[in-house]
């Protein structure tokens, strides 16, 4: 039986989130009205106009008037999920749930629609702290029906994307779209000297969330616990990893704190780039179910159970993680 415990303190990681563009179309055709019913011309579903809402004439079209602001459409949909394929305006959805005894509860879903969203290297944000030499891609995501040529950057770039091939100084750029300015702020990590502590690039480096956000988990295990470290029990082929992209090529040091429970020390820290992998096998052992004790020791002493490996990053990509190749009754804790 064994356990492995670790806190990653100097891993380099940048979360990459895909940018999705909304395809905005009007789903309800308010010209197709039968009394107080409105029919969706795409799905054929009829929604009932409720609570003082009404359909009124506006020029050559009929539109939905919410009356005193509390009006709504009841589409009669039932189930635990409702899909909205396209949305054009902010709105609130109300869901009612009745349990077996007949008691009814309500949940409200408020959706706020914006004209544009900002991303830096694929992450929805308007500011980022990056390593010197990083390639930076800033993007202003707009609806698919809009024209990217309407976006003008203050460096003269026209279009939805502005790229800096090699970031060498703190930089601010502005994209103007339909009269609104969207500011992007880029800051260099460190004070200009090396080495640079790049912990700030990690997604969830201290395992503070309860679900291991930012980490890819492979293999099988019986139980997990996250609380300033992550504990995993009864694992088989366990692998806990993250992949970095858009890193400047060069020398990096990857470090973590790792403790192993009863049994052979087979777990290890690893880093892979350019098809080459470096690793360091766990050395610190602990007995019994003393996860909290191990976590507190790591927090109090950065050198306790510490492992470090050097890696040469090539191709701007680095994968780091903790792996235990053992099968059977193992209990790694990372």
């Amino acid at each position: 039986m064994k356990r492995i415990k670790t806190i990653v303190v100097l891993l380099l990681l940048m979360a990459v989130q895909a940018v999705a563009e909304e395809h905005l179309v009007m789903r309800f055709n308010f010209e197709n009205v039968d009394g107080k019913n409105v029919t969706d011309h795409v799905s054929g579903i009829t929604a009932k106009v409720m609570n003082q809402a009404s359909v009124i004439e506006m020029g050559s079209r009929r539109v939905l008037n919410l009356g005193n602001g509390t009006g709504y459409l009841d589409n009669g949909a039932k189930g635990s999920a409702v899909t909205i394929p396209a949305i054009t305006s902010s709105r609130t959805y109300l869901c009612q749930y009745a349990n077996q005894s007949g008691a009814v509860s309500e949940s409200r879903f408020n959706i706020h629609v914006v004209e544009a969203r900002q991303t830096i290297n694929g992450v929805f944000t308007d500011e980022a702290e990056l390593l010197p030499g990083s390639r930076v891609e800033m993007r202003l995501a707009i609806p698919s029906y809009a024209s990217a040529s309407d976006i003008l950057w203050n460096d003269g770039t026209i279009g939805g994307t502005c790229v800096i091939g090699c970031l060498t100084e703190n930089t601010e750029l502005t994209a103007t779209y339909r009269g609104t300015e969207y500011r992007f702020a880029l800051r260099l990590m460190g004070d200009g000297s090396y080495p640079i502590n790049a912990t700030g690039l990690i997604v969830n480096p201290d395992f503070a969330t309860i679900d291991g956000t930012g980490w890819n988990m492979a293999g099988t295990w019986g139980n997990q616990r996250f609380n300033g470290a992550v504990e995993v029990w009864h694992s088989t082929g366990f692998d806990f990893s993250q992949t970095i992209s858009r890193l400047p090529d060069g020398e990096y040091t990857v470090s973590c704190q790792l403790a192993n429970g009863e049994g052979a020390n087979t777990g290890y820290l690893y880093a892979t780039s350019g098809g080459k992998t470096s690793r360091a096998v766990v050395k610190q052992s602990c007995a019994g179910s003393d996860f909290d004790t191990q976590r507190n020791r790591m927090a109090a002493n950065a050198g306790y159970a510490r492992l470090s490996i050097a890696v040469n990053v090539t191709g701007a990509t680095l994968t780091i993680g903790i792996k235990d190749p053992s099968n059977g009754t193992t209990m790694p804790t990372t």
Side-chain angles (χ1 to χ4, degrees):
M1 306 287 286
K2 64 177 180 180
R3 293 180 303 278
I4 300 174
K5 301 180 174 67
T6 184
I7 297 177
V8 183
V9 294
L10 284 177
L11 298 183
L12 306 174
L13 183 68
M14 184 178 298
V16 177
Q17 178 176 349
V19 180
E21 289 186 346
E22 290 180 321
H23 180 59
L24 304 180
V25 297
M26 181 63 71
R27 287 282 292 174
F28 281 95
N29 177 5
F30 295 119
E31 294 180 346
N32 186 5
V33 177
D34 179 17
K36 286 193 173 183
N37 291 332
V38 178
T39 301
D40 180 350
H41 71 286
V42 176
S43 67
I45 297 175
T46 296
K48 188 176 182 181
V49 180
M50 302 289 291
N51 203 16
Q52 299 182 7
S54 61
V55 176
I56 63 174
E57 297 284 349
M58 184 173 287
S60 61
R61 293 184 176 273
R62 294 181 177 183
V63 299
L64 180 67
N65 177 18
L66 297 184
N68 60 8
T70 61
Y72 62 94
L73 290 173
D74 182 1
N75 66 0
K78 297 180 180 180
S80 60
V82 175
T83 299
I84 307 170
I87 189 168
T88 60
S89 60
S90 300
R91 62 191 64 186
T92 298
Y93 285 87
L94 174 67
C95 175
Q96 293 182 325
Y97 169 73
N99 62 22
Q100 291 181 344
S101 64
V104 178
S105 60
E106 292 184 349
S107 296
R108 290 180 180 270
F109 300 85
N110 297 311
I111 301 175
H112 179 58
V113 175
V114 296
E115 282 199 346
R117 291 196 69 182
Q118 296 168 252
T119 71
I120 299 177
N121 285 345
V123 180
F124 284 112
T125 184
D126 60 1
E127 60 182 14
E129 190 175 29
L130 303 164
L131 290 170
S134 294
R135 182 182 186 276
V136 187
E137 182 177 296
M138 293 160 287
R139 187 180 181 206
L140 193 65
I142 59 176
S144 58
Y145 63 78
S147 174
S149 63
D150 292 336
I151 302 174
L152 176 62
W153 299 76
N154 64 337
D155 68 348
T157 300
I158 297 176
T161 302
C162 183
V163 176
I164 297 177
C166 181
L167 186 67
T168 59
E169 60 183 1
N170 295 336
T171 302
E172 288 193 7
L173 285 173
T174 300
T176 302
Y177 172 65
R178 293 187 175 181
T180 300
E181 291 187 348
Y182 298 86
R183 170 182 165 274
F184 293 76
L186 309 175
R187 298 187 302 275
L188 291 178
M189 304 185 74
D191 56 4
S193 61
Y194 289 88
I196 297 174
N197 185 340
T199 305
L201 297 181
I202 309 169
V203 176
N204 193 20
D206 55 359
F207 307 104
T209 67
I210 62 174
D211 58 358
T213 298
W215 295 90
N216 300 312
M217 291 171 279
T220 60
W221 47 85
N223 193 18
Q224 293 182 10
R225 185 162 66 128
F226 300 89
N227 186 13
V230 55
E231 180 180 19
V232 184
W233 296 74
H234 303 289
S235 76
T236 301
F238 177 75
D239 190 354
F240 204 74
S241 67
Q242 291 194 35
T243 297
I244 311 162
S245 63
R246 299 186 178 92
L247 278 178
D249 288 355
E251 294 293 330
Y252 291 79
T253 298
V254 181
S255 301
C256 74
Q257 291 169 273
L258 183 65
N260 179 54
E262 295 88 344
N265 289 344
T266 56
Y268 57 87
L269 166 70
Y270 71 91
T272 300
S273 183
K276 297 180 180 180
T277 298
S278 300
R279 65 184 66 184
V281 178
V282 61
K283 298 177 181 179
Q284 182 65 48
S285 297
C286 62
S289 302
D290 63 344
F291 168 74
D292 292 332
T293 299
Q294 295 299 311
R295 180 200 60 205
N296 293 340
R297 286 179 180 175
M298 293 175 181
N301 180 3
Y304 177 75
R306 188 180 184 86
L307 298 174
S308 294
I309 51 178
V311 57
N312 182 37
V313 171
T314 60
T317 300
L318 173 66
T319 297
I320 50 88
I322 302 294
K323 180 179 291 187
D324 189 341
S326 300
N327 294 327
T329 312
T330 61
M331 297 185 293
T333 305
T334 57

